[in-house]
Amino acid sequence: MNGFFWLVKNFCVIVLASVPFKSDGLSAPYGKTTRNIATQVLQGAGAAAVDLNQYNLPLEAIEKEWCAVFVQKTAEVEEGVYLGCKSNNENYVDTIEVGFPRKEGLGIELIELAGGRDDNLGITLVSGLVPGGSAEGSGILPGDSMVEVSLVRTKSSADGNRPLSEEQEEWSVKTECLSYDATVDILSTLPPIKEGYDDFYAVKLRRLRRRPKIKVKLQYPPQQNEPDTVIELNAGENLRQGMLARGVKLNDPLAKRFDTKSSGNCGAGGLCRTCSVSVQNGDDLLNDQRVAEKQMLADKPRWRLACKAIVGYGMREGEMSIRVNPNQWDNA
Protein backbone atom coordinates (compact mmCIF):
# COMPACT_ATOMS: atom_id res chain seq x y z
CA MET A 1 0.00 0.00 0.00
CA ASN A 2 1.29 3.49 -0.77
CA GLY A 3 0.17 6.96 0.19
CA PHE A 4 -2.23 7.68 -2.62
CA PHE A 5 -3.69 4.39 -3.74
CA TRP A 6 -5.20 1.60 -1.70
CA LEU A 7 -6.52 -1.62 -3.22
CA VAL A 8 -6.71 -4.97 -1.49
CA LYS A 9 -6.44 -8.19 -3.52
CA ASN A 10 -8.66 -10.31 -1.29
CA PHE A 11 -9.75 -13.64 -2.76
CA CYS A 12 -11.85 -14.61 0.25
CA VAL A 13 -14.24 -11.71 0.56
CA ILE A 14 -17.00 -13.00 -1.71
CA VAL A 15 -17.97 -16.17 -3.54
CA LEU A 16 -16.39 -14.84 -6.74
CA ALA A 17 -13.11 -16.22 -5.41
CA SER A 18 -14.27 -19.71 -6.35
CA VAL A 19 -14.06 -18.92 -10.08
CA PRO A 20 -10.88 -20.29 -11.69
CA PHE A 21 -8.62 -17.55 -13.03
CA LYS A 22 -7.96 -18.62 -16.60
CA SER A 23 -8.43 -17.09 -20.00
CA ASP A 24 -11.55 -19.03 -20.94
CA GLY A 25 -13.27 -17.40 -17.96
CA LEU A 26 -14.01 -14.57 -20.35
CA SER A 27 -16.87 -16.77 -21.64
CA ALA A 28 -18.05 -17.80 -25.06
CA PRO A 29 -19.23 -14.34 -26.25
CA TYR A 30 -15.65 -13.04 -26.01
CA GLY A 31 -14.20 -12.51 -29.45
CA LYS A 32 -17.58 -12.28 -31.15
CA THR A 33 -19.48 -9.30 -32.44
CA THR A 34 -22.90 -8.84 -30.86
CA ARG A 35 -25.87 -6.55 -31.35
CA ASN A 36 -27.68 -6.10 -28.08
CA ILE A 37 -31.33 -6.33 -29.11
CA ALA A 38 -32.41 -6.89 -25.52
CA THR A 39 -30.85 -3.59 -24.47
CA GLN A 40 -32.70 -1.80 -27.26
CA VAL A 41 -35.97 -3.18 -25.86
CA LEU A 42 -35.03 -1.98 -22.39
CA GLN A 43 -34.40 1.53 -23.66
CA GLY A 44 -38.09 1.74 -24.55
CA ALA A 45 -38.92 1.71 -20.83
CA GLY A 46 -37.83 5.33 -20.53
CA ALA A 47 -36.24 6.94 -17.49
CA ALA A 48 -36.41 4.89 -14.30
CA ALA A 49 -39.26 5.84 -11.97
CA VAL A 50 -38.25 3.31 -9.29
CA ASP A 51 -35.09 2.38 -7.39
CA LEU A 52 -33.25 0.10 -9.81
CA ASN A 53 -31.25 -1.49 -7.01
CA GLN A 54 -34.25 -3.71 -6.33
CA TYR A 55 -33.30 -5.56 -9.54
CA ASN A 56 -29.65 -6.15 -8.59
CA LEU A 57 -28.46 -9.71 -9.05
CA PRO A 58 -27.25 -11.71 -6.03
CA LEU A 59 -23.51 -12.30 -5.86
CA GLU A 60 -23.81 -16.01 -6.61
CA ALA A 61 -25.49 -15.11 -9.92
CA ILE A 62 -23.06 -12.30 -10.77
CA GLU A 63 -20.06 -14.62 -10.90
CA LYS A 64 -21.79 -16.69 -13.59
CA GLU A 65 -23.16 -13.80 -15.65
CA TRP A 66 -20.29 -11.41 -16.36
CA CYS A 67 -18.59 -11.86 -19.71
CA ALA A 68 -16.41 -9.82 -22.05
CA VAL A 69 -17.66 -9.10 -25.56
CA PHE A 70 -15.73 -7.87 -28.57
CA VAL A 71 -17.70 -5.14 -30.37
CA GLN A 72 -16.85 -3.78 -33.81
CA LYS A 73 -16.91 -0.04 -34.39
CA THR A 74 -20.29 1.54 -35.07
CA ALA A 75 -21.64 5.07 -35.15
CA GLU A 76 -22.44 4.77 -31.44
CA VAL A 77 -19.45 2.89 -30.03
CA GLU A 78 -15.73 2.48 -30.61
CA GLU A 79 -14.31 -0.93 -31.39
CA GLY A 80 -13.15 -2.73 -28.29
CA VAL A 81 -13.86 -5.25 -25.56
CA TYR A 82 -16.78 -4.42 -23.28
CA LEU A 83 -18.50 -6.01 -20.32
CA GLY A 84 -21.67 -7.95 -21.06
CA CYS A 85 -23.92 -10.55 -19.50
CA LYS A 86 -24.51 -14.09 -20.70
CA SER A 87 -28.30 -14.25 -20.13
CA ASN A 88 -29.19 -11.20 -22.17
CA ASN A 89 -32.91 -11.94 -22.21
CA GLU A 90 -33.10 -12.15 -18.43
CA ASN A 91 -30.47 -9.64 -17.28
CA TYR A 92 -28.81 -6.45 -18.45
CA VAL A 93 -25.71 -4.37 -17.79
CA ASP A 94 -26.40 -0.95 -16.29
CA THR A 95 -24.00 2.00 -16.06
CA ILE A 96 -23.59 3.74 -12.71
CA GLU A 97 -21.67 6.95 -12.06
CA VAL A 98 -20.61 7.97 -8.54
CA GLY A 99 -18.38 10.67 -7.13
CA PHE A 100 -16.69 11.26 -3.78
CA PRO A 101 -13.86 13.33 -2.22
CA ARG A 102 -10.43 11.75 -2.06
CA LYS A 103 -9.02 10.89 1.36
CA GLU A 104 -6.04 8.67 0.59
CA GLY A 105 -6.64 6.08 -2.11
CA LEU A 106 -9.88 4.89 -3.69
CA GLY A 107 -10.57 2.57 -0.78
CA ILE A 108 -11.95 -0.15 -3.08
CA GLU A 109 -11.16 -3.85 -2.75
CA LEU A 110 -10.88 -5.71 -6.04
CA ILE A 111 -10.94 -9.33 -7.13
CA GLU A 112 -10.10 -10.92 -10.48
CA LEU A 113 -12.89 -12.97 -12.00
CA ALA A 114 -11.03 -13.79 -15.22
CA GLY A 115 -7.54 -13.03 -16.46
CA GLY A 116 -4.13 -14.57 -16.88
CA ARG A 117 -3.82 -13.44 -20.51
CA ASP A 118 -0.77 -11.92 -22.20
CA ASP A 119 -2.87 -9.02 -23.53
CA ASN A 120 -3.99 -7.98 -19.99
CA LEU A 121 -7.66 -8.54 -20.80
CA GLY A 122 -9.82 -9.87 -18.00
CA ILE A 123 -12.71 -9.12 -15.69
CA THR A 124 -12.01 -7.42 -12.37
CA LEU A 125 -14.79 -6.80 -9.87
CA VAL A 126 -15.33 -4.86 -6.69
CA SER A 127 -15.24 -7.23 -3.72
CA GLY A 128 -15.74 -4.64 -0.98
CA LEU A 129 -14.96 -1.15 0.32
CA VAL A 130 -12.26 -0.24 2.84
CA PRO A 131 -13.88 1.01 6.10
CA GLY A 132 -13.23 4.73 6.40
CA GLY A 133 -11.85 4.88 2.85
CA SER A 134 -12.73 7.36 0.14
CA ALA A 135 -15.39 5.18 -1.49
CA GLU A 136 -17.24 4.29 1.71
CA GLY A 137 -20.90 5.34 1.40
CA SER A 138 -20.56 6.01 -2.34
CA GLY A 139 -23.08 3.34 -3.37
CA ILE A 140 -20.50 1.08 -5.01
CA LEU A 141 -21.45 -2.57 -4.43
CA PRO A 142 -19.63 -5.91 -4.48
CA GLY A 143 -19.94 -7.39 -7.97
CA ASP A 144 -19.69 -4.01 -9.71
CA SER A 145 -16.91 -3.49 -12.23
CA MET A 146 -15.10 -0.18 -12.67
CA VAL A 147 -14.79 0.93 -16.29
CA GLU A 148 -13.41 4.45 -15.89
CA VAL A 149 -11.90 6.42 -13.02
CA SER A 150 -11.34 10.17 -13.15
CA LEU A 151 -9.54 12.41 -10.69
CA VAL A 152 -10.49 16.08 -10.58
CA ARG A 153 -8.13 18.44 -8.74
CA THR A 154 -8.83 22.01 -7.66
CA LYS A 155 -6.78 24.53 -5.72
CA SER A 156 -7.69 24.61 -2.04
CA SER A 157 -8.95 27.92 -0.66
CA ALA A 158 -7.41 29.66 2.29
CA ASP A 159 -10.56 29.26 4.38
CA GLY A 160 -11.36 25.76 3.10
CA ASN A 161 -14.68 26.81 1.58
CA ARG A 162 -14.04 27.54 -2.08
CA PRO A 163 -11.18 27.65 -4.56
CA LEU A 164 -9.02 30.76 -4.86
CA SER A 165 -9.39 30.52 -8.63
CA GLU A 166 -10.93 28.39 -11.35
CA GLU A 167 -7.71 26.38 -11.65
CA GLN A 168 -8.64 22.74 -12.21
CA GLU A 169 -6.94 19.65 -13.58
CA GLU A 170 -8.40 16.28 -14.51
CA TRP A 171 -6.97 12.84 -15.19
CA SER A 172 -8.93 9.84 -16.45
CA VAL A 173 -8.09 6.15 -16.97
CA LYS A 174 -10.18 3.38 -18.55
CA THR A 175 -10.33 0.05 -16.73
CA GLU A 176 -13.05 -1.92 -18.53
CA CYS A 177 -12.24 -5.59 -19.13
CA LEU A 178 -8.73 -5.45 -17.66
CA SER A 179 -7.10 -8.08 -15.48
CA TYR A 180 -6.46 -7.34 -11.82
CA ASP A 181 -2.79 -6.48 -12.33
CA ALA A 182 -3.53 -4.29 -15.36
CA THR A 183 -6.27 -2.49 -13.40
CA VAL A 184 -3.92 -1.79 -10.49
CA ASP A 185 -1.18 -0.63 -12.85
CA ILE A 186 -3.33 1.87 -14.71
CA LEU A 187 -4.97 3.22 -11.55
CA SER A 188 -1.51 3.76 -10.10
CA THR A 189 -0.82 6.27 -12.87
CA LEU A 190 -3.23 8.73 -11.26
CA PRO A 191 -1.22 11.43 -9.45
CA PRO A 192 -0.60 11.30 -5.68
CA ILE A 193 -2.14 13.71 -3.23
CA LYS A 194 -0.69 17.21 -3.54
CA GLU A 195 -0.64 19.63 -0.65
CA GLY A 196 -2.80 22.68 -1.16
CA TYR A 197 -5.20 20.93 -3.54
CA ASP A 198 -8.54 19.13 -3.17
CA ASP A 199 -9.14 15.91 -5.13
CA PHE A 200 -12.44 14.39 -6.18
CA TYR A 201 -12.98 10.92 -7.67
CA ALA A 202 -15.55 10.29 -10.41
CA VAL A 203 -16.05 6.56 -11.02
CA LYS A 204 -18.06 4.93 -13.80
CA LEU A 205 -19.18 1.36 -13.08
CA ARG A 206 -21.08 -1.46 -14.71
CA ARG A 207 -23.68 -3.29 -12.63
CA LEU A 208 -25.66 -6.44 -13.43
CA ARG A 209 -29.41 -6.31 -12.94
CA ARG A 210 -32.31 -8.54 -13.86
CA ARG A 211 -34.88 -7.24 -16.29
CA PRO A 212 -38.17 -6.09 -14.71
CA LYS A 213 -41.05 -8.36 -15.69
CA ILE A 214 -44.70 -7.63 -16.36
CA LYS A 215 -47.29 -10.40 -16.02
CA VAL A 216 -50.19 -9.71 -18.36
CA LYS A 217 -53.47 -11.56 -17.89
CA LEU A 218 -55.33 -11.84 -21.18
CA GLN A 219 -59.12 -12.13 -21.19
CA TYR A 220 -60.89 -13.16 -24.39
CA PRO A 221 -64.47 -12.37 -25.43
CA PRO A 222 -66.90 -15.07 -24.21
CA GLN A 223 -67.86 -15.99 -27.78
CA GLN A 224 -64.26 -16.95 -28.57
CA ASN A 225 -64.43 -19.76 -26.00
CA GLU A 226 -60.79 -19.32 -25.07
CA PRO A 227 -59.60 -19.52 -21.45
CA ASP A 228 -57.81 -16.63 -19.81
CA THR A 229 -54.07 -16.86 -20.11
CA VAL A 230 -51.04 -15.10 -18.64
CA ILE A 231 -47.99 -14.01 -20.61
CA GLU A 232 -44.80 -12.43 -19.27
CA LEU A 233 -43.22 -9.40 -20.95
CA ASN A 234 -40.03 -7.49 -20.25
CA ALA A 235 -40.14 -3.86 -19.20
CA GLY A 236 -39.73 -1.77 -22.34
CA GLU A 237 -41.48 -4.22 -24.69
CA ASN A 238 -44.08 -2.96 -27.10
CA LEU A 239 -47.39 -4.57 -26.10
CA ARG A 240 -48.47 -5.46 -29.65
CA GLN A 241 -45.12 -6.93 -30.66
CA GLY A 242 -44.81 -8.81 -27.38
CA MET A 243 -48.28 -10.36 -27.73
CA LEU A 244 -47.81 -11.32 -31.37
CA ALA A 245 -44.44 -12.90 -30.57
CA ARG A 246 -46.23 -15.07 -28.02
CA GLY A 247 -48.96 -16.17 -30.41
CA VAL A 248 -51.69 -13.73 -29.38
CA LYS A 249 -53.76 -12.48 -32.35
CA LEU A 250 -54.96 -8.90 -32.08
CA ASN A 251 -56.75 -8.04 -35.32
CA ASP A 252 -60.34 -7.59 -34.18
CA PRO A 253 -62.68 -8.29 -37.15
CA LEU A 254 -65.22 -5.82 -35.73
CA ALA A 255 -62.72 -2.98 -35.51
CA LYS A 256 -62.82 -0.08 -37.98
CA ARG A 257 -59.89 2.07 -39.00
CA PHE A 258 -59.91 5.49 -37.42
CA ASP A 259 -58.75 7.18 -40.62
CA THR A 260 -60.95 5.52 -43.27
CA LYS A 261 -63.71 4.00 -41.08
CA SER A 262 -63.22 0.76 -43.01
CA SER A 263 -61.69 -2.54 -41.98
CA GLY A 264 -58.00 -3.24 -42.43
CA ASN A 265 -54.77 -3.34 -40.49
CA CYS A 266 -52.41 -0.34 -40.65
CA GLY A 267 -49.42 -2.46 -39.64
CA ALA A 268 -48.68 -0.82 -36.28
CA GLY A 269 -48.75 2.66 -37.74
CA GLY A 270 -51.22 3.91 -35.15
CA LEU A 271 -53.77 4.78 -37.86
CA CYS A 272 -56.42 2.21 -36.98
CA ARG A 273 -57.89 0.67 -33.86
CA THR A 274 -57.62 -2.99 -34.84
CA CYS A 275 -55.00 -3.72 -32.17
CA SER A 276 -56.92 -1.98 -29.40
CA VAL A 277 -57.09 -3.63 -25.98
CA SER A 278 -59.08 -2.69 -22.91
CA VAL A 279 -56.92 -2.27 -19.80
CA GLN A 280 -58.84 -3.52 -16.76
CA ASN A 281 -56.06 -2.87 -14.26
CA GLY A 282 -52.38 -2.04 -14.30
CA ASP A 283 -52.61 0.95 -16.63
CA ASP A 284 -49.94 2.63 -14.49
CA LEU A 285 -47.46 0.12 -15.95
CA LEU A 286 -47.89 1.64 -19.42
CA ASN A 287 -46.47 4.79 -20.98
CA ASP A 288 -48.76 7.81 -21.27
CA GLN A 289 -50.86 8.20 -24.38
CA ARG A 290 -49.69 10.66 -26.98
CA VAL A 291 -52.04 13.20 -28.54
CA ALA A 292 -53.03 11.12 -31.58
CA GLU A 293 -53.86 8.04 -29.51
CA LYS A 294 -55.89 10.13 -27.05
CA GLN A 295 -57.93 11.56 -29.89
CA MET A 296 -58.56 8.16 -31.46
CA LEU A 297 -59.70 6.62 -28.17
CA ALA A 298 -61.43 9.62 -26.61
CA ASP A 299 -64.71 7.66 -26.41
CA LYS A 300 -63.00 4.62 -24.83
CA PRO A 301 -61.08 5.70 -21.69
CA ARG A 302 -59.93 2.16 -20.83
CA TRP A 303 -58.63 1.37 -24.29
CA ARG A 304 -55.06 1.53 -25.54
CA LEU A 305 -53.54 0.97 -28.94
CA ALA A 306 -51.30 -2.03 -28.32
CA CYS A 307 -48.93 -0.83 -31.04
CA LYS A 308 -48.29 2.38 -29.07
CA ALA A 309 -48.24 0.91 -25.56
CA ILE A 310 -44.95 0.14 -23.75
CA VAL A 311 -45.20 -2.18 -20.75
CA GLY A 312 -43.14 -1.64 -17.63
CA TYR A 313 -42.63 2.02 -18.51
CA GLY A 314 -40.33 3.72 -16.04
CA MET A 315 -38.71 0.32 -15.35
CA ARG A 316 -41.70 -0.68 -13.25
CA GLU A 317 -42.58 -4.27 -12.51
CA GLY A 318 -46.02 -5.70 -11.76
CA GLU A 319 -49.20 -7.31 -13.06
CA MET A 320 -51.91 -6.10 -15.37
CA SER A 321 -55.10 -7.43 -16.90
CA ILE A 322 -56.39 -6.62 -20.38
CA ARG A 323 -59.32 -7.64 -22.56
CA VAL A 324 -58.43 -8.68 -26.09
CA ASN A 325 -60.66 -7.66 -29.03
CA PRO A 326 -62.65 -5.18 -26.92
CA ASN A 327 -65.22 -4.53 -29.66
CA GLN A 328 -66.57 -8.00 -28.93
CA TRP A 329 -67.21 -7.20 -25.27
CA ASP A 330 -70.42 -5.59 -24.07
CA ASN A 331 -68.70 -3.42 -21.43
CA ALA A 332 -65.03 -3.18 -22.41
Side-chain angles (χ1 to χ4, degrees), residues 256-262 264-275 292 296 305 307-308:
K256 301 296 182 181
R257 292 176 62 105
F258 181 78
D259 50 357
T260 64
K261 308 304 179 184
S262 61
N265 184 355
C266 72
L271 301 175
C272 70
R273 304 203 299 186
T274 58
C275 70
M296 292 176 64
L305 298 180
C307 66
K308 300 302 177 184

Side-chain angles (χ1 to χ4, degrees), residues 82-97:
Y82 297 91
L83 286 165
C85 61
K86 297 176 182 177
S87 303
N88 233 3
N89 291 328
E90 297 297 324
N91 305 312
Y92 73 101
V93 179
D94 205 355
T95 300
I96 313 294
E97 295 184 356

Side-chain angles (χ1 to χ4, degrees), residues 251-314:
N251 294 330
D252 189 343
L254 299 183
K256 301 296 182 181
R257 292 176 62 105
F258 181 78
D259 50 357
T260 64
K261 308 304 179 184
S262 61
S263 60
N265 184 355
C266 72
L271 301 175
C272 70
R273 304 203 299 186
T274 58
C275 70
S276 296
V277 296
S278 177
V279 182
Q280 300 301 296
N281 58 66
D283 60 330
D284 57 320
L285 297 173
L286 299 176
N287 59 316
D288 292 336
Q289 289 177 309
R290 293 187 176 182
V291 175
E293 185 182 2
K294 280 186 176 181
Q295 293 175 342
M296 292 176 64
L297 301 176
D299 58 333
K300 303 289 186 181
R302 287 181 177 269
W303 288 24
R304 290 296 306 266
L305 298 180
C307 66
K308 300 302 177 184
I310 303 297
V311 301
Y313 196 75

Side-chain angles (χ1 to χ4, degrees), residues 153-164:
R153 173 169 290 172
T154 55
K155 182 75 173 178
S156 300
S157 62
D159 59 7
N161 291 323
R162 59 181 181 178
L164 292 171

Side-chain angles (χ1 to χ4, degrees), residues 95-294:
T95 300
I96 313 294
E97 295 184 356
V98 300
F100 45 88
R102 183 185 198 176
K103 295 180 182 179
E104 290 188 4
L106 276 168
I108 299 175
E109 299 172 342
L110 297 179
I111 188 170
E112 186 178 76
L113 181 64
R117 298 168 56 98
D118 294 336
D119 55 12
N120 292 323
L121 291 176
I123 299 176
T124 300
L125 305 181
V126 173
S127 62
L129 303 180
V130 176
S134 299
E136 186 177 39
S138 64
I140 297 175
L141 299 175
D144 291 346
S145 186
M146 296 189 298
V147 298
E148 186 173 356
V149 179
S150 299
L151 181 67
V152 180
R153 173 169 290 172
T154 55
K155 182 75 173 178
S156 300
S157 62
D159 59 7
N161 291 323
R162 59 181 181 178
L164 292 171
S165 68
E166 295 299 321
E167 180 182 350
Q168 180 174 294
E169 293 181 276
E170 182 174 348
W171 299 264
S172 183
V173 294
K174 295 186 182 298
T175 58
E176 186 163 12
C177 290
L178 294 181
S179 66
Y180 174 89
D181 289 336
T183 299
V184 171
D185 288 345
I186 196 168
L187 287 173
S188 297
T189 65
L190 295 173
I193 290 175
K194 186 176 182 180
E195 185 176 354
Y197 290 82
D198 295 321
D199 290 345
F200 187 86
Y201 282 119
V203 181
K204 182 183 293 186
L205 309 130
R206 305 281 192 232
R207 180 172 296 170
L208 281 175
R209 290 179 164 139
R210 67 175 179 83
R211 296 180 180 277
K213 302 289 186 181
I214 309 298
K215 290 186 177 180
V216 183
K217 180 180 180 181
L218 305 177
Q219 298 175 308
Y220 295 91
Q223 58 268 38
Q224 288 192 212
N225 294 319
E226 293 190 38
D228 296 347
T229 186
V230 177
I231 61 174
E232 187 174 74
L233 304 180
N234 289 317
E237 275 197 79
N238 176 273
L239 181 57
R240 178 181 182 272
Q241 292 177 352
M243 293 174 69
L244 290 175
R246 291 159 178 83
V248 181
K249 297 180 180 180
L250 283 172
N251 294 330
D252 189 343
L254 299 183
K256 301 296 182 181
R257 292 176 62 105
F258 181 78
D259 50 357
T260 64
K261 308 304 179 184
S262 61
S263 60
N265 184 355
C266 72
L271 301 175
C272 70
R273 304 203 299 186
T274 58
C275 70
S276 296
V277 296
S278 177
V279 182
Q280 300 301 296
N281 58 66
D283 60 330
D284 57 320
L285 297 173
L286 299 176
N287 59 316
D288 292 336
Q289 289 177 309
R290 293 187 176 182
V291 175
E293 185 182 2
K294 280 186 176 181

